[in-house]
Amino acid sequence: MAACTYCSAALLVILSSLSLIILLNAQETTQIPSNPDLPVNTEAESPNTAPETPVEQEKQWEPTEVTESTPEEEDAPVAAESAPPPGTTASSAGSHSKEDFQEELVIRPLHSGDIYASFQFRTLWETDFKKGNKVSHYGLFPKSLGQVISKFSVRELHISFTQGYWRTMQWGQPFLPAPPGAELWVWFQDTVTDVDDTWKELTNVLSGIFCASLNFIDSTNTVQPSASFKPLGIGNVTDHRFLRYATLPREIVCTENLTPWKKLLPCGSKAGLAVLMKSEKLFHSSFHSEAVHIRPVCGNHQCTTTSWELRQTLDVVFDLHTSGQGKRGEMLRPLLHAERYVAGYGLQTGEIHTLMYNQHPYRSFPVLLLDSVPWYLRLYIHTLTVTSKSKENKPSYIHYQPSKDRIRPHLLEMLVQLPPNSVTEVTVQFERALLKWTEYTPDPNHGFYVGSSVVSSLVPSIVAMDTNNTQDRPLFSSFFPTKEESSYFIRVYTEPLLVNLPTPDFSMPYNVICLTCTVVAVGYGSLYNLLTRNFQIEEPSPGLAKRLANVIRKLRGVPPL
Amino acid sequence: MGLLSDPNRRRALITLLTRLNAPICVVCYMAGVAWFMGLAFEPFTLRTYMSENAMGSTMVEERFPAGERALATGREFAARKRKAGGMPVDWLVKTMQDRGLEVFTQRFSRTLPFPDENKERYMVKGTNVYGILRAPRAPRTEALVLSAPCSPGDNNNQAVGLLLGLVQYFRNQIYWAKDIIFLVNEHDLIGMQAWLEGYHHTNTTGMDWSPLQGRGGSIQAALSLELSSDVVTSLDLVLEGLNGQLPNLDLANLFYAFCQKIGVLCTIQGKLQRNDWDSVSGYSHAVQTMMLMVMKQASGRPWGDHGLFLRYHIEAATIKGINSFRQYKTDATTIGRLLEGMYRKLNNLLERLHQSYFFYLMPSLSHFVSIGYYMPAFGLLAAILFMRALDLWVQLTAPPPPEDGVAHIKQSSPGVLSVLTPLVISHVTGVALYALPVHFQEVAVEHFPVSETEAVVLTAIAVYTAGLALPHNTHRLLSGEGTEQGWRVLKLVAVLYLAVLLGCTAVINFSLGFILALTLVPIAAFVTPHVPKVLSAFILVLLSPACTLLFSVFFFQELQEMPVSFQEGWMLFLSVISQGILDHSLYGSLVYPLIALLIYPCWLLFWNILFWN
């Protein structure tokens, strides 16, 4: 645990000098021998002696100190002596696959005085899960996920669990954005025939792996975005029939999700940066987000082979205000941010407002807005308005899939051009549906959640973030692809919404049922009876003589008496 | 229901009801009033109890330590306020920011339809400052609000101080699951209205406000704090909101529970509760407390800044610090601890407050009367209307000579017109009463030596009085002679109309419905064209809505133990009318339009019947 104490000491140093940004770029080298379960063929890379300056758009900070976990090498007798340059892989590994593991911790003082810690663990494995290729020997790559990939023919899998909301206005952009709750999006191989079934099974399996309520993902909260979520790995299939996207905004993230997440690491939480992850500290924070991203990437520079990349990220923001070290400043002006709220009052109708801010002084840029709204908010799509600077701003692309009650949600995607230095407001009215009484949650008066909207955009910047070359750079600077040199990709999530639906009084169903039935049976029944019955005064029944007389008269053909 | 289906038995029942109609009506009226008065008798009421489990058994500890510092902040706020001559926006923003909140401001402006002489304002411009304490690891879906008004003069400085003190304390706690919004609103209700409209992006009253920059999701509950002295003797809870809406009873229970726990004297309607319910004075004390609540609820005004939250289904109450001459004093730390406790429990809520009652009356803070208990009092009064309607219906259909059917139809066909004309005329008068006062104030000011406010009020009274003198016997022009049949049909319509009106009003605002029923039901019961004209006209005027209001003003002053002379009472009456009109245009209170557009025309119909011949 020397490494641990060392790192804590380093952390202390960092915390005391808040203006520093620390890069803990520890390669999976020294800890391996201490864990006999691990194969020895993991690559050994020399630590980056001087990692390149992470390029950040505003250049607010630069790494001024680099702490390595190399001193551990002295203690570890079997420290890997081979130190090939980064990017190349040790050939001593098994001939069938190359594996590579990198881990990294970025600690960054935020504008608001809070501390942002971002862990990234990347496992690269040159193997092929497709084409019925049975993979049975697992090294660094977690077997549970490998089996998921091969069984369900997954091409890309992105899952995140987040507790809290990323405060863009105070904290700037996160390295990897994630919406509150759970988010899952998966690209399947184009060989999958029944995507919906596979998706259903996959969510149930992942639910078990991550100990989360992902099994609540069903057709009513799954959508197929047509443009917002493109594959991040190699491959050219972009037919969105093979894409599934779902969020569970209500999912609460806690240690039971963190433990299985840590188990996916090669050494669990026994070695490396993961030893720093103490639950009681991680959850004593303002923001907590853990994610797993799996995608195929190029195995080499020429891209002749395919590797699978597993990225595990953990983002935490610690609140320093409580310890008296917080500082206050005015709000940031991030280039792009978005917020959303429900307008109106009463339980019949409402209006969803989504505000998107472009704070670039002179450049306008397009954004893709994705809204997935549950069916019980019946969107009136004819009331959709998009306004910027109090003028109508016609979206150049709208993809709308209306909901079907109890089957699928609304999906609204649109491409909107945001004028420079402006607020663009998207409003749409809705009606609140009255659910069937068994469809209410156990706490219906809490309200029903609507997942975050997703705003994806290529944001213009003076300094481009080149993410193609992932080998030489710190991990945090690269995930999303960039197309142009002058712009980089940003994804922003709005806050989820809590909407109250008209709710019956469940506290006294017996009384209500009794009363209603009584009113219906007695009141309505007899009133209806009175109103529709035709009253006639009944003649007293004639005597026997008269009846006889009438029979005779009838025989004679004269009218009866 | 065989009783009604069988013609013989039905006839017998109807004969009984018509023959005993008058005595039954009198009995019903007395029983209704007696029932209502009985509501305040303690053995007939229920003790309050916490229905919400999330707030019940979960104990919280209150540790707010910094009352003195909060008062110092309040003094600094007072100094800044005096210096700025209004809301010290920059200072508040900076202070809240220093204490770790996300701070936003909202500007608003509003021109009143006519000057408000009570508060001396006409063109109102102001700024609300609010800071959001973000709950750690909560996704901005739920929020609680604590507000304090920035009042003119030296009022409520301590409230703002305590609010800022709580900001500092709350910010350092980690247990918050809901965002907490600390709001300092300028121009009391107008600022609150602007903020709430901005937060929910609605515009019901035509106010100008700048959009809000920060939100915390759906607001679950709100408290408004009014505190004007460093120490208080008791805390008063104000519940009555716009249009007589009340917050969930659990909010009152929460306040009461913490007052008991911390040992703070608490009052409702400014009245302490007494234990001697079995003595006459104890009972009359409870009646007074309940009647005060009834009067306040019937007025339909928001009686504190919390009143406007209720429209948005946000449970809210105002807590007022009262400093009287009692010995026992409570300091700011204790009030801070009380608020801390309340917020921690509200923070524990899993759902909106919904378990307890929304319709209730409180004869004391520890007892309540639920809707199931008070509705029969109104039901007994409303029954009179249906009895009278039945009586009229029987009279109209009782002598149906079968061979005279043709003549009957002839007789009733001008009846439709003779009923319709007074209906239209009285409603047009109602529309005039609703619209003219505000729209003709300029003309009135030009021609008479009065101020705008006086012009509005006097125009309203003039239109009201002019309504009495309108040509009411139009049927004579149409059919030559007022027929017996004609007034009966008109009265039947009027009685049923009144029954529907009062019934709907009582469901929404029981107090208003009950007070109107108390005065209008006797009119509806006795008026015919055959009663002595002068005496009846006098009674009719005495029981008209305007006079009801006048009596209510005196009665209210009497209840508050601040009796007024007739002169003062009259001035109060005038200001109440202007306030009613202002409440309608500023906050959307519905009492004025209800009286002007519906109740008053209905009363005119009875006036019309009296002068039928």
Side-chain angles (χ1 to χ4, degrees), chain A residues 121-133:
Chain A
F121 305 88
R122 188 177 72 161
T123 312
L124 270 176
W125 189 16
E126 197 174 294
T127 186
D128 198 358
F129 286 116
K130 316 186 260 193
K131 298 169 201 153
N133 185 3

Side-chain angles (χ1 to χ4, degrees), chain A residues 171 337 526:
Chain A
W171 299 340
H337 85 107
S526 49

Side-chain angles (χ1 to χ4, degrees), chain B residues 169-412:
Chain B
Y169 177 74
F170 282 8
R171 178 64 181 83
N172 291 324
Q173 310 307 316
I174 55 154
Y175 40 65
W176 299 115
K178 299 172 171 55
D179 290 359
I180 301 180
I181 303 175
F182 296 89
L183 168 67
V184 180
N185 54 316
E186 205 178 357
H187 300 298
D188 48 66
L189 284 163
I190 296 182
M192 190 56 94
Q193 174 81 8
W195 190 79
L196 281 166
E197 288 195 349
Y199 197 92
H200 295 94
H201 205 106
T202 56
N203 204 336
T204 47
T205 55
M207 190 185 296
D208 286 327
W209 38 258
S210 61
L212 299 191
Q213 298 294 320
R215 285 184 174 75
S218 117
I219 302 175
Q220 307 287 307
L223 288 181
S224 181
L225 189 62
E226 289 180 23
L227 202 61
S228 298
S229 56
D230 288 358
V231 288
V232 298
T233 48
S234 63
L235 289 177
D236 189 47
L237 182 69
V238 187
L239 299 170
E240 300 84 3
L242 187 69
N243 291 324
Q245 276 185 287
L246 299 170
N248 194 283
L249 186 58
D250 268 345
L251 198 64
N253 296 340
L254 181 68
F255 172 75
Y256 181 61
F258 269 102
C259 285
Q260 297 291 95
K261 184 180 174 192
I262 296 184
V264 182
L265 277 182
C266 53
T267 60
I268 188 158
Q269 320 299 348
K271 304 223 181 248
L272 277 174
Q273 62 173 350
R274 294 165 51 152
N275 296 322
D276 53 341
W277 56 268
D278 44 355
S279 70
V280 177
S281 65
Y283 170 70
S284 83
H285 185 81
V287 169
Q288 278 180 23
T289 315
M290 189 180 76
M291 286 309 293
L292 270 171
M293 179 157 188
V294 168
M295 305 297 284
K296 283 185 179 176
Q297 196 188 10
S299 73
R301 328 188 47 185
W303 284 82
D305 285 355
H306 74 280
L308 299 172
F309 281 93
L310 299 168
R311 172 198 294 259
Y312 302 91
H313 192 10
I314 300 165
E315 308 315 318
T318 296
I319 295 176
K320 259 186 196 162
I322 291 178
N323 196 14
S324 63
F325 302 104
R326 285 198 199 92
Q327 285 294 313
Y328 186 77
K329 303 275 185 193
T330 304
D331 60 354
T333 309
T334 315
I335 303 172
R337 280 171 53 215
L338 179 109
L339 287 169
E340 183 203 350
M342 288 182 77
Y343 272 87
R344 283 200 65 180
K345 283 227 177 171
L346 290 172
N347 180 54
N348 287 347
L349 278 182
L350 299 174
E351 301 181 67
R352 276 170 187 282
L353 287 174
H354 68 284
Q355 299 277 13
S356 196
Y357 295 89
F358 285 95
F359 297 95
Y360 53 87
L361 294 176
M362 298 194 90
S364 74
L365 203 45
S366 62
H367 285 82
F368 73 103
V369 181
S370 77
I371 183 166
Y373 288 81
Y374 67 58
M375 248 356 200
F378 176 80
L380 284 167
L381 294 189
I384 297 172
L385 295 177
F386 289 107
M387 295 285 295
R388 298 310 289 180
L390 181 75
D391 189 35
L392 284 167
W393 178 254
V394 170
Q395 284 178 23
L396 278 170
T397 53
E403 62 279 331
D404 203 30
V406 189
H408 181 69
I409 292 165
K410 263 188 190 163
Q411 218 177 12
S412 66

Side-chain angles (χ1 to χ4, degrees), chain A residues 93-204:
Chain A
S95 59
H96 63 283
S97 62
K98 292 188 284 183
E99 285 186 291
D100 177 54
F101 180 75
Q102 262 183 295
E103 57 183 25
E104 180 179 291
L105 166 62
V106 181
I107 298 175
R108 179 177 170 184
L110 293 170
H111 191 71
S112 60
D114 298 328
I115 292 289
Y116 175 28
S118 174
F119 293 82
Q120 284 213 34
F121 305 88
R122 188 177 72 161
T123 312
L124 270 176
W125 189 16
E126 197 174 294
T127 186
D128 198 358
F129 286 116
K130 316 186 260 193
K131 298 169 201 153
N133 185 3
K134 206 159 168 63
V135 184
S136 48
H137 292 288
Y138 287 87
L140 298 173
F141 204 90
K143 190 174 179 184
S144 55
L145 288 182
Q147 284 174 334
V148 165
I149 296 169
S150 57
K151 174 146 194 267
F152 298 105
S153 303
V154 171
R155 191 153 72 99
E156 266 187 36
L157 185 147
H158 303 270
I159 186 167
S160 71
F161 300 97
T162 307
Q163 188 72 21
Y165 180 71
W166 183 268
R167 305 170 197 171
T168 316
M169 291 295 272
Q170 272 115 53
W171 299 340
Q173 290 294 338
F175 298 134
L176 271 178
E183 183 198 44
L184 173 66
W185 54 287
V186 175
W187 278 92
F188 291 97
Q189 304 282 5
D190 48 11
T191 50
V192 177
T193 46
D194 192 342
V195 181
D196 287 318
D197 252 18
T198 320
W199 167 250
K200 180 85 201 139
E201 274 182 59
L202 173 68
T203 52
N204 278 288

